Amino acid sequence: IFLLICVTLWSHLSGSSGASSSRRPNIVLILTDDLDVAIGGLNPLNKTKKLIGDAGMTFTNAFVASPLCCPSRASILTGKYPHNHHVINNTLDGNCSSKAWQKSEEPHTFPALLKASAGYQTFFAGKYLNQYGHSEAGGVEHIPPGWSYWVGLDKNSKYYNYTLSVNGKAQKHGADYSKDYLTDLLANMSLDFLQYKTSYQPFFMMVSTPAPHSPWTAAPQYQKRFNNTKAPRDPNFNVHGKDKHWLIRQAKTPMSNSSIRFLDDAFRGRWQTLLSVDDLVEKIVKRLEVRGELNNTYIFFTSDNGYHTGQFSLPVDKRQLYEFDIRVPLMVRGPNIKPNQTSQMLVANVDLGPTILDIAGYNVNKTQMDGMSFLPIMVRKLSFSWRTDILVEYEGEGRNKSDPACPLLGPGVSECFPDCVCEDSYNNTYACVRTIARSSNLQYCEFDDNEVFVEVYNVTADPYQLTNIAKTIDKEVLEKMNHRLMMLQSCSAQSCRTPGVYDPRYKFDPRQMFTSHSWRLSRLRQTVK
């Protein structure tokens, strides 16, 4: 690995020019997998909170455009909502790392722009997209555009017994902790990149850890930590979602003892795996400090989606519209960001690409990205009105055949474990407007199902989303939110950044309302050309 890094960096970077470009800031993005913020996911990450959060800015209202790995990661890379990048789930058929994705979207990701147009040397290590490495997607030989050095995990998160694509060549790993534990390996490869990269170009480094995704395999030294820890028993834990859409209503309440044991074990395992992520963050920050590069480096720490363990009697998963699945951690440190800052501004993962490009000096208006740069928020130079809402959208997955373990459930459902409680279905298909303004902290969602079900939550008064107020909220508010949802679902680039319902610039014209719920997410199912 060491020799490959040296040879690859020399071949890619020896011709780099312009010592003056070294003054531009470096950028590091650390992306975790399934890390929540609502149920205590940051608690084990003491070093990360100190070295990034306390040293910079913590965003308390950071959300994802879709609460599932591949659509969310596609939104991070492209700066687009799912209805524009067309990745709708974790399968090849859902456009996850497909040939169509590679042709239409990969050449325009922010890392591709950083390398080709902004002169950055780039390094990727870890999980990319869930179907990366699939034989029908070019195998591990495929290296996405934009990377000077590429270490991509074949398929989904693992900790042992996996294959890496090291610059397009398969490298198999076993189960020896000292050589193969993936989080530690990613840390070591990152340190090697920092040691042997050129000093004549700024760099962008993206490290995508497996933790805390299942199978929740902790490093040996951490396997006995948190032994007495259980999943938090918040007010929405083991509670029946009687006023929610049918998939939530089918959950068994109270949960069985076996389900509770399962989710408690999963919760502990997640925390245990995060201790190695904490070590990774510390190693990277310390190496930057030793090299004298820390003060000129922005470091982002976030996740692709949240997670739940027992909320509304759903044992373990993501994919739902609630805060525990769509809200994620986001901490950033870097030049001109004062320490110990907290921002309540509404940001989304579609904003990461525009922000990083803005840091690099690239004009985001040249792109078709839906997000916007939050760099002015971080450096306290916000001279314009910030957005008051974002779009969250998801298209459910369901099998055409019944699950052999749960034959009575019939076709159309998936992720039915444990005790045949299903976490997803083909019509778990929804779109939401998440609004945060001085006068409102509201979530409005519509489902593409036979019920055309609507869920609305006043998150200020009801932070655990126990009560769906769709039937009691003012009709005018519902109409405005419905209108705003339709506008966002058809938006692209600049039109995604128009004023929201609770922005004083918002203008509501009832004549623009559709006569029916024709906004439905069928547009996401269109064939990708």
Side-chain angles (χ1 to χ4, degrees):
I1 292 173
F2 170 79
L3 288 174
L4 280 169
I5 288 176
C6 292
V7 171
T8 304
L9 289 176
W10 181 85
S11 63
H12 277 287
L13 307 174
S14 59
S16 61
S17 61
S20 61
S21 66
S22 63
R23 297 177 183 175
R24 285 182 292 159
N26 308 306
I27 309 163
V28 176
L29 172 59
I30 300 171
L31 179 65
T32 53
D33 196 348
D34 288 359
L35 177 60
D36 68 276
V37 69
I39 58 171
L42 286 177
N43 288 10
L45 294 166
N46 292 323
K47 299 173 185 175
T48 301
K49 289 183 288 187
K50 178 181 178 181
L51 294 171
I52 302 180
D54 293 351
M57 179 171 284
T58 299
F59 289 85
T60 58
N61 288 311
F63 293 87
V64 295
S66 188
L68 188 63
C69 297
C70 205
S72 177
R73 288 164 183 263
S75 287
I76 291 171
L77 291 165
T78 64
K80 295 179 180 180
Y81 286 121
H83 69 267
N84 286 328
H85 63 58
H86 305 292
V87 178
I88 59 174
N89 57 43
N90 289 342
T91 68
L92 274 179
D93 289 340
N95 204 30
C96 181
S97 203
S98 68
K99 287 287 189 180
W101 154 267
Q102 294 170 16
K103 181 180 179 180
S104 65
E105 299 298 332
E106 274 191 342
H108 310 291
T109 62
F110 79 83
L113 295 174
L114 281 179
K115 184 173 186 292
S117 301
Y120 273 65
Q121 53 188 315
T122 57
F123 168 88
F124 180 89
K127 175 180 171 178
Y128 179 59
L129 301 175
N130 296 58
Q131 297 300 326
Y132 173 78
H134 196 288
S135 59
E136 295 180 20
V140 296
E141 294 78 19
H142 172 66
I143 303 174
W147 301 104
S148 310
Y149 185 73
W150 173 258
V151 184
L153 176 66
D154 182 16
K155 311 276 188 334
N156 206 1
S157 283
K158 287 186 175 181
Y159 299 82
Y160 293 112
N161 300 308
Y162 54 84
T163 299
L164 294 175
S165 168
V166 181
N167 296 320
K169 295 184 179 180
Q171 185 184 91
K172 294 186 180 297
H173 285 263
D176 183 335
Y177 169 72
S178 63
K179 297 186 298 183
D180 302 314
Y181 190 70
L182 184 55
T183 307
D184 290 356
L185 182 67
L186 297 179
N188 293 334
M189 295 181 109
S190 300
L191 299 184
D192 286 342
F193 169 77
L194 293 174
Q195 187 68 31
Y196 296 105
K197 64 178 178 58
T198 180
S199 298
Y200 295 100
Q201 283 179 289
F203 69 84
F204 169 67
M205 182 167 72
M206 182 172 178
V207 186
S208 182
T209 72
H213 196 285
S214 62
W216 312 304
T217 308
Q221 68 269 30
Y222 296 136
Q223 289 177 357
K224 294 184 179 180
R225 295 287 296 273
F226 311 119
N227 275 349
N228 296 320
T229 300
K230 295 182 178 180
R233 269 51 172 176
D234 291 330
N236 55 9
F237 179 85
N238 202 10
V239 169
H240 189 252
K242 59 183 180 298
D243 59 1
K244 292 166 175 53
H245 66 104
W246 80 268
L247 186 64
I248 307 300
R249 298 196 302 266
Q250 60 84 36
K252 300 173 183 177
T253 308
M255 290 184 287
S256 67
N257 290 335
S258 61
S259 282
I260 293 176
R261 283 195 299 271
F262 177 83
L263 67 87
D264 279 338
D265 288 343
F267 189 87
R268 278 191 295 274
R270 287 164 55 77
W271 274 24
Q272 290 166 353
T273 65
L274 286 170
L275 294 176
S276 294
V277 175
D278 217 26
D279 292 340
L280 176 149
V281 170
E282 181 183 44
K283 291 174 183 177
I284 290 174
V285 172
K286 295 300 183 185
R287 178 60 59 88
L288 288 167
E289 186 175 32
V290 167
R291 291 181 55 83
E293 296 178 305
L294 183 59
N295 290 337
N296 193 37
T297 302
Y298 287 90
I299 305 176
F300 295 72
F301 181 90
T302 189
S303 175
D304 57 359
N305 47 254
Y307 208 71
H308 60 256
T309 52
Q311 284 65 40
F312 302 125
S313 299
L314 298 172
V316 293
D317 199 50
K318 48 265 183 155
R319 307 170 203 258
Q320 306 305 329
L321 58 90
Y322 309 106
E323 294 286 284
F324 41 75
D325 285 355
I326 65 172
R327 187 191 292 265
V328 291
L330 177 59
M331 297 179 282
V332 192
R333 67 171 293 169
N336 300 315
I337 302 178
K338 295 181 180 179
N340 296 303
Q341 299 293 302
T342 299
S343 174
Q344 296 180 349
M345 293 293 195
L346 178 62
V347 296
N349 60 353
V350 294
D351 301 327
L352 287 170
T355 303
I356 290 171
L357 289 176
D358 194 10
I359 290 171
Y362 186 87
N363 185 355
V364 181
N365 292 327
K366 293 181 178 180
T367 74
Q368 291 299 307
M369 293 183 173
D370 303 330
M372 52 199 300
S373 171
F374 54 82
L375 177 61
I377 296 176
M378 296 192 294
V379 299
R380 300 296 184 183
K381 291 183 179 179
L382 188 64
S383 58
F384 57 93
S385 296
W386 188 250
R387 69 148 75 88
T388 60
D389 59 26
I390 58 164
L391 175 68
V392 179
E393 50 191 350
Y394 177 70
E395 177 156 346
E397 292 182 67
R399 298 186 180 92
N400 292 327
K401 298 180 180 179
S402 298
D403 188 331
C406 309
L408 297 179
L409 297 176
V413 293
S414 65
E415 310 301 317
C416 301
F417 64 91
D419 294 331
C420 292
V421 174
C422 301
E423 299 275 359
D424 207 2
S425 68
Y426 74 94
N427 63 351
N428 180 36
T429 297
Y430 58 81
C432 304
V433 180
R434 185 67 177 88
T435 292
I436 294 179
R438 289 183 178 180
S439 60
S440 174
N441 187 354
L442 188 72
Q443 185 176 21
Y444 173 91
C445 303
E446 294 185 8
F447 280 81
D448 185 9
D449 58 15
N450 293 333
E451 296 179 277
V452 193
F453 201 77
V454 177
E455 296 190 31
V456 184
Y457 299 95
N458 179 343
V459 184
T460 299
D462 181 19
Y464 296 101
Q465 296 172 294
L466 297 171
T467 304
N468 177 9
I469 60 173
K471 294 181 179 179
T472 59
I473 196 170
D474 185 81
K475 183 180 179 181
E476 183 181 357
V477 174
L478 282 178
E479 289 180 348
K480 287 183 177 180
M481 297 304 291
N482 171 267
H483 177 252
R484 181 61 178 157
L485 179 61
M486 289 187 289
M487 298 301 290
L488 283 173
Q489 279 236 285
S490 59
C491 78
S492 178
Q494 179 60 41
S495 63
C496 297
R497 305 190 287 272
T498 53
V501 171
Y502 288 91
D503 188 307
R505 298 169 296 168
Y506 178 76
K507 295 180 180 180
F508 174 57
D509 184 355
R511 292 173 297 181
Q512 294 179 333
M513 296 281 292
F514 293 97
T515 56
S516 66
H517 292 264
S518 57
W519 63 271
R520 294 186 180 191
L521 299 175
S522 57
R523 64 169 59 90
L524 285 181
R525 301 191 187 99
Q526 63 187 329
T527 302
V528 179
K529 297 180 181 180

